[in-house]
Amino acid sequence: MIILDVIYYAFIAIVSIQVIYYTLIFSRFSFLKTQNTAPKTFPVSVIICAKNEAENLKQFLPSVINQNYPDFEIVLINDASKDDTLDVIEHFANTNNNIKIVNVKNVEAFWGNKKYALTLGIKASKHDYLLFTDADCKPVSNNWIQEMTAHFNENTQIVLGYGAYKRIKKSFLNKLIRFETLITAIQYFSFEKIGIPYMGVGRNLAYTKAAFFKANGFINHIKVRSGDDDLFVNQVATKKNTAICFTKESFTKSVPKTSFKAWFKQKRRHISTAKHYKIIHKILLALIYTCTLLFWVLSTVLFAITYNWQIVLALFLIRLIIMYFVYGASAKKLLENDIIFLLPVLEVFLITMQLTIFINNLISKPNHWK
């Protein structure tokens, strides 16, 4: 009986912590109104690092070339590709005079290290404001550069954007991928709003060259072969120098994985970087995940044995309703409304996959940029 009491009160504590997260932290983004910012006209360098991305560049690079912005260059980095990436880049450069090519060859000290390639690209760029995306990404509008750079000012050196994934009909995996992307965005946007920015995504991220060189680039985590985006932001971002951009014209959209195996491998790389975050960030994120996992485990146990089931059911429903309310508002902002209807199912699948990935990463190291 004592054990059941412990489980019961632990469940109450878990629900209480989650309600605090939803109402005091995640709601800061969910119910945040879009702030109109005056467009800027300063020169911008758009940086794209490509490794074996010939076909994606053919499909998506025109959407960057055709941006409605008065002064920008595109720095295309060929990171030791084995396909026709360099040929495709040279073709675009021949017809567009604002494209700069950086052809990176493998060197022994930085073999297969994307951060090395990006560093060469940043050094080759001629403008002080840098905007990053991936070769398999497409800005959803011709105003992407304008929308993202509008948030720079005399204090702001980092702008966090939203990198969505393309919607695929009748695909549960696609909904799971987009749900995980939505939850991640809610977290890093919300933490920025409470003054604790901790990460961004390289699919849609901007920062100044001054911030990059002041931090000595990626040198503090150069041996960590992933995390060119989130680890850099984790190191450099502060309450005063970071802003978020979530206007609908500022999004980018990427090609999602179409098999669980490929997505699992990708997430192994991403999750492996989290252990290098600052301690406060690791504690806050670990608490979110642990509470979510325990919520489903403890509620299942309590429902199975019908222990104080009326109160357990009430708490269960309160937590779900608040979560639907907060996540639903964010999903509407980020144009991911369709996945909210499956929220409980997607959450259970996601925490199960994350636990599996965590265990796998303890057993063996994941592969990285190659």
Side-chain angles (χ1 to χ4, degrees):
M1 198 68 176
I2 295 177
I3 295 177
L4 293 179
D5 286 339
V6 171
I7 294 174
Y8 173 67
Y9 287 112
F11 177 72
I12 294 175
I14 292 298
V15 172
S16 300
I17 293 171
Q18 289 195 301
V19 169
I20 290 172
Y21 263 102
Y22 295 139
T23 57
L24 298 184
I25 299 178
F26 297 157
S27 65
R28 294 291 296 273
F29 170 68
S30 298
F31 305 110
L32 180 67
K33 294 182 179 180
T34 303
Q35 297 178 340
N36 294 322
T37 52
K40 306 294 194 302
T41 57
F42 47 69
V44 174
S45 294
V46 177
I47 298 182
I48 302 173
C49 191
K51 190 176 187 70
N52 303 323
E53 297 280 8
E55 294 305 315
N56 281 327
L57 285 171
K58 291 177 186 177
Q59 184 175 356
F60 301 118
L61 187 56
S63 62
V64 178
I65 293 172
N66 295 324
Q67 283 292 299
N68 180 27
Y69 196 80
D71 188 0
F72 71 99
E73 68 168 352
I74 304 173
V75 180
L76 296 178
I77 307 166
N78 173 44
D79 186 14
S81 298
K82 296 179 180 179
D83 66 354
D84 296 329
T85 293
L86 182 58
D87 292 336
V88 173
I89 289 175
E90 289 175 342
H91 169 75
F92 279 108
N94 289 334
T95 54
N96 297 274
N97 57 16
N98 66 334
I99 290 180
K100 178 177 292 184
I101 300 175
V102 178
N103 189 28
V104 179
K105 296 182 179 179
N106 280 323
V107 294
E108 185 174 353
F110 301 103
W111 189 271
N113 194 321
K114 184 182 178 182
K115 294 174 185 175
Y116 170 68
L118 277 172
T119 299
L120 296 183
I122 291 170
K123 288 183 176 180
S125 65
K126 64 180 181 180
H127 300 314
D128 294 329
Y129 294 90
L130 312 175
L131 179 56
F132 297 82
T133 190
D134 290 340
D136 65 346
C137 290
K138 178 182 179 180
V140 300
S141 83
N142 289 339
N143 294 320
W144 168 60
I145 298 178
Q146 176 180 295
E147 293 291 325
M148 285 291 291
T149 56
H151 294 269
F152 280 116
N153 56 42
E154 59 182 10
N155 296 316
T156 300
Q157 295 181 304
I158 302 171
V159 180
L160 311 178
Y162 181 58
Y165 280 102
K166 182 180 177 182
R167 186 177 301 185
I168 300 175
K169 294 181 179 180
K170 298 180 180 180
S171 169
F172 179 78
L173 173 61
N174 180 255
K175 286 182 171 60
L176 184 62
I177 290 172
R178 291 191 294 115
F179 175 72
E180 189 268 342
T181 303
L182 170 66
I183 298 305
T184 301
I186 291 172
Q187 290 176 3
Y188 70 74
F189 282 151
S190 298
F191 277 105
E192 190 281 331
K193 294 312 297 179
I194 65 171
I196 314 177
Y198 76 93
M199 71 160 286
V201 293
R203 302 187 303 277
N204 198 3
L205 174 67
Y207 50 79
T208 64
K209 190 181 290 187
F212 180 79
F213 285 118
K214 184 178 181 181
N216 292 319
F218 305 120
I219 194 65
N220 286 0
H221 45 88
I222 193 69
K223 293 183 180 180
V224 183
R225 296 180 66 185
S226 57
D228 54 274
D229 46 9
D230 57 342
L231 289 184
F232 179 77
V233 173
N234 193 264
Q235 173 192 349
V236 176
T238 67
K239 178 180 180 179
K240 295 182 178 180
N241 73 359
T242 308
I244 64 175
C245 180
F246 56 93
T247 57
K248 292 178 174 60
E249 290 190 318
S250 71
F251 301 165
T252 61
K253 191 164 289 187
S254 304
V255 178
K257 301 298 183 183
T258 55
S259 72
F260 272 96
K261 182 178 180 181
W263 181 66
F264 187 87
K265 184 177 180 180
Q266 181 188 55
K267 296 316 296 179
R268 284 193 67 190
R269 295 195 302 268
H270 293 170
I271 290 176
S272 68
T273 64
K275 65 181 180 182
H276 301 285
Y277 288 178
K278 294 175 182 177
I279 293 177
I280 182 62
H281 301 147
K282 288 193 287 187
I283 292 173
L284 290 171
L285 293 172
L287 186 60
I288 293 172
Y289 176 77
T290 302
C291 286
T292 303
L293 177 63
L294 289 177
F295 170 80
W296 288 105
V297 172
L298 297 182
S299 62
T300 300
V301 171
L302 291 170
F303 280 135
I305 60 178
T306 64
Y307 186 85
N308 286 347
W309 69 268
Q310 297 96 332
I311 297 177
V312 172
L313 178 61
L315 292 172
F316 184 88
L317 293 176
I318 288 171
R319 186 264 195 186
L320 281 187
I321 290 170
I322 294 175
M323 182 172 60
Y324 265 108
F325 197 51
V326 173
Y327 283 3
S330 293
K332 185 177 180 180
K333 272 190 177 69
L334 302 178
L335 305 181
E336 304 286 8
N337 307 55
D338 65 304
I339 58 179
I340 290 301
F341 299 105
L342 290 174
L343 196 154
V345 176
L346 292 170
E347 186 173 64
V348 171
F349 266 86
L350 183 60
I351 60 172
T352 303
M353 289 291 291
Q354 289 172 332
L355 181 61
T356 305
I357 290 169
F358 177 75
I359 294 172
N360 270 269
N361 282 356
L362 290 178
I363 298 172
S364 62
K365 292 183 179 181
N367 293 322
H368 295 278
W369 180 263
K370 63 180 182 178

